[in-house]
Amino acid sequence: MVVMEEKPKFDADKAASLVKELRKSFNSGRTRSYEWRVSQLKSIEKMVEEKEKEITEALHKDLSKPAVEAFISEISQVKSSCKSALKELSGWMIPEKVKTSLTTYPSSAEIVSEPLGVVLVISTWNFPFSLSLDPVIGAISAGNAVVLKPSEIAPATSLLLSKLVEEYLDKSAIRVVEGAVDETTALLEQKWDKILYTGSARVGRIVMAAAAKHLTPVTLELGGKCPAVVDSNIDLKVAVRRIIAGKWALNNGQACIDVDYIITTKDFAPKLINSLKYELEQFFGKDPLQSKDISRIVSSSQFARLVKMLDEDKVSDKVVFGGQRDESQLRIAPAILLDVPEDSQIMQEEIFGPLMPILTVENLEDSFEVINSKPKPLAAYLFTNDEQLKKDFVQKISSGGMLINDTILHVAVDGLPFGGVGESGMGAYHGKFSFDAFSHKKAVLYRSFTGDASVRYPPYTAGKQRLLKALISGNIISIILALIGRSKD
């Protein structure tokens, strides 16, 4: 009989030992150099290139994620982040020059980006590869030692990340800790220099409370109910296809930036629903449960949660399309619901699945009140050709990010920060924002020993007081008058 060797338990003592080891490595200065950062980024690039097949297989095992979707939303995202960081890193590391004032003359000043130290990245299951490595790329770019805790809900990807990071990266400064609640709790008990967490608001509160004990700064990437407001003066076919791409073709609705619900006018709703039905059939066939181009629900508990939403008494008769299910395969077909009650579970919680409620209003401007009555979402979408409506939407709706006439693509723009506001999170990353998220911006002022003015030192005479006030005000006439012993009338 073969006896399976039990894996050693990762507890608070092991977590403390790991942090101590990584802090020793960080304090040695090895992670600060440009050469080290570049070598690690190139290793990630090489890893993704060489192990693309294994990564795709792991994502399919965890989520039945189609290969094309896995490449677009996971593999290419990591490649793009690496490429961008390698191209821009030397520029990001250059201190930023700052103008100085007359009161510090002669002097120069700059802002120096320095690594925070030893940081923790807690990832999520819906994009278990890209949302693990994207923040790690930022942490490495900024010169930190880093621990990655992948999600146990995507076990195949978690195990693969653990193996690949050990194989390709510098394990004296970059480590992966697998596990669930106990391991995460052990990690959160430690003193980190930054924590980035991606996941639910409920767990986000736990992470923030743990971080507060050590005054550790956090970036929280959460979620929320992301709305899409749809006008009638649009190219309906293009709009609908883009909505489907930002809902069902994005991990079958299991994404923090997917379209959670649609708002449109009562008059336009039937036309919109008919177009959604037609295009969904074009994308996923007459029996979407058999489609190889749509992801499954990640777990039985998530499946049960979504079914409960769909079967709620006040909701079940609002389904106008789809919603078939196969529990044995953890599959739920795209579902469209019309005018579900505001107090239903499906409108009170983030859906995170293939259910799409459509709310109707008399005028599209009324949609602003609906959106603003809820916690601020991670993303908000608007489909219209009305320029005034676009301006009003940008001005009156607060969300982490916003996209007009499309969905989700704003996260692919490195020059835009990705992050939430209020309940949908705090802080941001992507591109240089990732570098900044894991850096301390140190203010540095340089002075020489020349230009030492007695006016700053006691005893404070009336003349010195006039000159000090003039210098602080920055008014050149007042300064000249104070220097010649006169005051400005």
Side-chain angles (χ1 to χ4, degrees), residues 118-129:
V118 182
V119 302
L120 173 64
V121 173
I122 305 174
S123 186
T124 187
W125 56 262
N126 56 336
F127 295 92
F129 189 73

Side-chain angles (χ1 to χ4, degrees), residues 231-333:
D231 203 348
S232 58
N233 63 353
I234 55 172
D235 184 324
L236 183 56
K237 180 176 181 177
V238 172
V240 162
R241 289 165 75 88
R242 290 176 178 178
I243 288 169
I244 293 171
K247 177 70 170 182
W248 295 283
L250 187 68
N251 208 23
N252 203 9
Q254 299 171 106
C256 54
I257 55 167
D258 79 340
V259 180
D260 192 273
Y261 65 102
I262 293 171
I263 306 177
T264 193
T265 60
K266 291 185 188 300
D267 292 340
F268 190 62
K271 195 173 180 181
L272 174 61
I273 290 168
N274 285 335
S275 185
L276 280 166
K277 289 178 181 177
Y278 176 80
E279 296 298 340
L280 280 167
E281 190 172 308
Q282 298 305 303
F283 280 28
F284 305 118
K286 290 186 180 295
D287 184 2
L289 294 178
Q290 302 301 317
S291 174
K292 297 187 185 304
D293 295 318
I294 195 165
S295 301
R296 66 167 170 80
I297 307 306
V298 68
S299 67
S300 55
S301 61
Q302 289 295 318
F303 182 92
R305 182 185 63 83
L306 290 164
V307 167
K308 185 181 176 184
M309 279 186 179
L310 203 55
D311 288 348
E312 189 177 359
D313 287 343
K314 60 182 86 172
V315 169
S316 58
D317 63 345
K318 303 293 185 181
V319 177
V320 294
F321 176 77
Q324 305 93 328
R325 64 202 71 163
D326 180 347
E327 188 172 2
S328 66
Q329 299 297 317
L330 294 180
R331 287 184 175 272
I332 299 176

Side-chain angles (χ1 to χ4, degrees), residues 55 57-65 74 123-132 149-162 176 178-180 251 296-299 302:
I55 296 162
E57 287 172 352
L59 291 168
H60 189 269
K61 195 174 290 184
D62 285 330
L63 291 150
S64 291
K65 194 167 283 197
E74 303 251 23
S123 186
T124 187
W125 56 262
N126 56 336
F127 295 92
F129 189 73
S130 62
L131 292 184
S132 291
K149 166 59 183 69
S151 173
E152 71 281 6
I153 299 173
T157 308
S158 176
L159 179 61
L160 183 64
L161 280 166
S162 178
V176 172
E178 286 197 280
N251 208 23
R296 66 167 170 80
I297 307 306
V298 68
S299 67
Q302 289 295 318

Side-chain angles (χ1 to χ4, degrees), residues 160-451:
L160 183 64
L161 280 166
S162 178
K163 290 177 177 178
L164 294 184
V165 167
E166 185 172 4
E167 181 182 344
Y168 282 86
L169 301 180
D170 179 0
K171 63 182 179 182
S172 73
I174 305 163
R175 301 284 279 277
V176 172
V177 173
E178 286 197 280
V181 174
D182 289 347
E183 289 77 9
T184 305
T185 302
L187 289 169
L188 287 174
E189 287 177 7
Q190 310 312 309
K191 162 66 179 167
W192 303 92
D193 297 297
K194 179 71 179 273
I195 299 173
L196 186 147
Y197 166 76
T198 303
S200 69
R202 180 185 63 81
V203 178
R205 288 178 169 86
I206 296 170
V207 171
M208 196 170 181
K213 293 176 184 176
H214 301 286
L215 294 180
T216 298
V218 296
T219 293
L220 301 178
E221 297 299 339
L222 307 177
K225 297 189 73 63
C226 301
V229 177
V230 182
D231 203 348
S232 58
N233 63 353
I234 55 172
D235 184 324
L236 183 56
K237 180 176 181 177
V238 172
V240 162
R241 289 165 75 88
R242 290 176 178 178
I243 288 169
I244 293 171
K247 177 70 170 182
W248 295 283
L250 187 68
N251 208 23
N252 203 9
Q254 299 171 106
C256 54
I257 55 167
D258 79 340
V259 180
D260 192 273
Y261 65 102
I262 293 171
I263 306 177
T264 193
T265 60
K266 291 185 188 300
D267 292 340
F268 190 62
K271 195 173 180 181
L272 174 61
I273 290 168
N274 285 335
S275 185
L276 280 166
K277 289 178 181 177
Y278 176 80
E279 296 298 340
L280 280 167
E281 190 172 308
Q282 298 305 303
F283 280 28
F284 305 118
K286 290 186 180 295
D287 184 2
L289 294 178
Q290 302 301 317
S291 174
K292 297 187 185 304
D293 295 318
I294 195 165
S295 301
R296 66 167 170 80
I297 307 306
V298 68
S299 67
S300 55
S301 61
Q302 289 295 318
F303 182 92
R305 182 185 63 83
L306 290 164
V307 167
K308 185 181 176 184
M309 279 186 179
L310 203 55
D311 288 348
E312 189 177 359
D313 287 343
K314 60 182 86 172
V315 169
S316 58
D317 63 345
K318 303 293 185 181
V319 177
V320 294
F321 176 77
Q324 305 93 328
R325 64 202 71 163
D326 180 347
E327 188 172 2
S328 66
Q329 299 297 317
L330 294 180
R331 287 184 175 272
I332 299 176
I336 301 171
L337 306 93
L338 182 61
D339 282 330
V340 297
E342 271 291 340
D343 63 349
S344 60
Q345 187 183 356
I346 203 170
M347 287 310 300
Q348 291 299 308
E349 298 178 11
E350 183 179 7
I351 295 169
F352 228 69
L355 320 181
M356 178 75 89
I358 297 177
L359 307 183
T360 60
V361 291
E362 293 296 334
N363 302 294
L364 274 195
E365 288 75 11
D366 297 336
S367 65
F368 295 177
E369 187 178 341
V370 175
I371 297 168
N372 288 330
S373 69
K374 302 179 185 300
K376 296 174 182 179
L378 186 57
Y381 305 110
L382 170 67
F383 291 84
T384 187
N385 282 313
D386 185 326
E387 294 302 321
Q388 187 58 50
L389 188 60
K390 292 177 189 178
K391 289 177 184 176
D392 291 344
F393 193 75
V394 172
Q395 289 295 319
K396 296 178 181 179
I397 300 298
S398 180
S399 59
M402 191 170 279
L403 184 50
I404 310 297
N405 292 334
D406 210 328
T407 61
I408 70 171
L409 290 182
H410 59 300
V411 303
V413 180
D414 278 343
L416 290 174
F418 175 66
V421 57
E423 288 274 320
S424 58
M426 63 179 68
Y429 71 111
H430 279 195
K432 186 175 185 294
F433 298 98
S434 292
F435 176 86
D436 292 341
F438 291 101
S439 298
H440 166 59
K441 302 298 180 183
K442 182 164 63 181
V444 183
L445 180 69
Y446 298 92
R447 296 201 72 208
S448 70
F449 289 103
T450 60

Side-chain angles (χ1 to χ4, degrees), residues 101-136:
S101 64
L102 192 59
T103 52
T104 62
Y105 179 85
S107 65
S108 64
E110 63 185 12
I111 300 169
V112 176
S113 294
E114 65 177 13
L116 290 168
V118 182
V119 302
L120 173 64
V121 173
I122 305 174
S123 186
T124 187
W125 56 262
N126 56 336
F127 295 92
F129 189 73
S130 62
L131 292 184
S132 291
L133 287 183
D134 209 339
V136 168

